Amino acid sequence: MTPHLDFIHQFVPGSSDRTLLLLHGTGGNEHDLLPLGRELDPAAALLSPRGQVLENGHPRFFRRLAEGVFDLEDLKRRTDELADFILAAAQAYHFDLAKLIAVGYSNGANIAASILLRRPGVLHAAVLLRAMVPFEPEELPNLSGVRIWIGGGKQDTIIPRENTERLANILSAAGADVSAHFFEAGHALTSIELVLVKRWL
Ligand code: MLT
């Protein structure tokens, strides 16, 4: 039986065995990051869900109380829902979770970080673009064997560099292989970092 997929999403088949999980930022949708995914890997399949929370009409992956202040109960629930969607999508579209790489931007990067910390085993690799600590884990998960590439903007006024650095430290302490980079940029992405991500994939 095909599992039920309860996120609005796009799935674009690829010609290799890799799948990119594309997680948009606040106000984005399931179409937004498809061109970025294609640019990063012309051969990968692309899976792109739409966040199920609306903030003044703008889709997000979880609720926040203010900029950078998260509703932690909602974050837990939404993290589990997205993790379960990923597992169901792997069955429905027949892709290998070990070959899945999450690529998240801003709010999408934050929920990817939350899945890494709360549901280890679902993501084996992640690119976190403009990410911050989603919540303080009481216990560190075992993330050995997980590859993570983090890109921050030195002039990002939404996500302070120290916060992204703390996330990198938490993920490293959990055993992940983390590579963190900071660019002369704000919250928007730069072409140089996308070139570096492409090389890292
Ligand atoms: C978040 O809410 O996840 C972060 O503040 C980034 C954003 O989406 O603005």
Side-chain angles (χ1 to χ4, degrees):
M1 201 180 84
T2 309
H4 178 63
L5 298 178
D6 47 9
F7 277 67
I8 295 171
H9 66 280
Q10 288 285 307
F11 180 78
V12 184
S15 56
S16 76
D17 59 2
R18 175 187 286 161
T19 300
L20 299 183
L21 170 70
L22 304 171
L23 300 169
H24 63 78
T26 300
N29 64 36
E30 68 279 18
H31 300 288
D32 266 23
L33 297 185
L34 293 175
L36 172 75
R38 222 357 115 239
E39 187 188 328
L40 290 177
D41 187 339
L46 306 175
L47 174 65
S48 184
R50 185 197 300 180
Q52 292 183 316
V53 165
L54 282 182
E55 183 186 84
N56 303 321
H58 301 296
R60 287 176 52 84
F61 285 97
F62 57 89
R63 251 177 257 288
R64 64 180 164 182
L65 307 173
E67 201 169 88
V69 184
F70 302 149
D71 176 336
L72 295 180
E73 278 313 304
D74 187 68
L75 174 59
K76 267 190 208 164
R77 172 180 151 212
R78 306 286 177 182
T79 299
D80 286 340
E81 286 173 357
L82 185 59
D84 293 341
F85 165 77
I86 296 167
L87 299 178
Q91 276 189 39
Y93 295 117
H94 309 289
F95 63 78
D96 182 356
L97 281 176
K99 302 268 172 58
L100 177 74
I101 303 180
V103 179
Y105 169 63
S106 190
N107 182 244
N110 294 341
I111 194 129
S114 186
I115 292 177
L116 287 162
L117 294 171
R118 182 170 163 81
R119 294 286 297 270
V122 175
L123 297 177
H124 295 83
V127 174
L128 306 178
L129 303 165
R130 308 296 183 272
M132 59 194 286
V133 178
F135 66 94
E136 294 292 341
E138 279 166 29
E139 257 177 61
L140 285 182
N142 179 356
L143 294 179
S144 57
V146 176
R147 297 170 66 233
I148 299 171
W149 194 97
I150 293 178
K154 288 185 195 167
Q155 288 87 37
D156 191 339
T157 51
I158 298 176
I159 300 193
R161 177 177 180 154
E162 306 72 60
N163 198 312
T164 305
E165 281 172 345
R166 202 149 55 80
L167 174 63
N169 291 339
I170 292 172
L171 294 168
S172 297
D177 172 4
V178 179
S179 151
H181 309 260
F182 291 87
F183 300 90
E184 294 302 335
H187 199 58
L189 300 178
T190 58
S191 46
I192 175 71
E193 62 195 293
L194 299 181
V195 170
L196 297 178
V197 171
K198 210 168 166 171
R199 272 189 215 147
W200 176 87
L201 284 179

